[in-house]
Amino acid sequence: MFSALKKLVGSEQAAGRDKNIPAGLQSMNQALQRRFAKGVQYNMKIVIRGDRNTGKTALWHRLQGRKFVEEYIPTQEIQVTSIHWNYKTTDDIVKVEVWDVVDKGKCKKRGDGLKMENDPQEAESEMALDAEFLDVYKNCNGVVMMFDITKQWTFNYILRELPKVPTHVPVCVLGNYRDMGEHRVILPDDVRDFIDNLDRPPGSSYFRYAESSMKNSFGLKYLHKFFNIPFLQLQ
């Protein structure tokens, strides 16, 4: 348990040493390091959630300015990185921490490398960082809830999980795979009707709906604008 927690602690010390950074954490590039070294006025945490194979990790990569990768590789545990973002009408330095959340991670056996005979650690497993292990909404400023517009079961995840988001946290429900629109089974009005009919207390934060394609970057500009909402709440 403690070894798993260490993965989300002390990432700043390891930022300049790629080979020493634990799995799940990304080092900041030099431009971000120089920018944050001048002082950070705001820390903003954005959480990406959704069922398997909805494009969460692809979005996580896209927000870092990385290329789209066609191959699907399941993410085994929560990944965290910092990205470049700023509010257009201020010079404040905003450190945006983005979490690619896995609901149930895959535990890793200790000693996956050299194994000794009768080694008691061989049978031990290291706890995976996932939503069962961590309260991902703690200190969260915004949520991106993703689903695949061509798969009903990924929207069922939204129906189940969206009401669980704390009411003070703004949410962007993101219908991904817009480039596969000819195979769509979830209509925009289905999503908007669900959002509009949620029983939420007065004063609850904003819910927005948008569509995206990680393949052609459709929707990323809107998502950057959506980040204005959690930032203004943070201010």
Side-chain angles (χ1 to χ4, degrees), residues 43-47 97 99 135-142:
N43 288 279
M44 193 163 78
K45 175 182 172 182
I46 302 294
V47 166
E97 190 176 85
W99 289 45
D135 177 7
V136 297
Y137 294 130
K138 184 177 181 180
N139 300 322
C140 177
N141 304 107

Side-chain angles (χ1 to χ4, degrees), residues 78-191:
I78 292 173
Q79 303 182 98
V80 182
T81 193
S82 295
I83 65 168
H84 175 75
W85 181 88
N86 64 284
Y87 187 62
K88 62 181 180 179
T89 61
T90 180
D91 294 327
D92 290 337
I93 306 298
V94 185
K95 183 178 180 181
V96 181
E97 190 176 85
V98 182
W99 289 45
D100 174 15
V101 173
V102 174
D103 284 359
K104 186 171 180 59
K106 183 178 180 181
C107 295
K108 301 177 295 297
K109 289 184 178 180
R110 292 181 181 174
D112 280 343
L114 181 64
K115 295 184 179 180
M116 305 295 290
E117 187 177 0
N118 297 326
D119 186 351
Q121 287 190 339
E122 185 173 342
E124 294 183 11
S125 294
E126 186 176 317
M127 186 76 72
L129 289 170
D130 57 26
E132 293 183 350
F133 180 72
L134 295 172
D135 177 7
V136 297
Y137 294 130
K138 184 177 181 180
N139 300 322
C140 177
N141 304 107
V143 173
V144 179
M145 193 77 74
M146 298 184 74
F147 72 96
D148 182 344
I149 64 171
T150 72
K151 295 182 176 66
Q152 177 66 46
W153 54 270
T154 66
F155 185 59
N156 292 342
Y157 180 98
I158 304 295
L159 302 179
R160 183 175 68 250
E161 295 296 329
L162 193 57
K164 299 178 184 178
V165 178
T167 57
H168 69 279
V169 178
V171 179
C172 178
V173 178
L174 197 62
N176 197 27
Y177 293 93
R178 172 69 180 267
D179 56 292
M180 300 288 288
E182 67 273 19
H183 302 294
R184 173 194 293 274
V185 297
I186 307 298
L187 298 174
D189 286 345
D190 296 335
V191 187

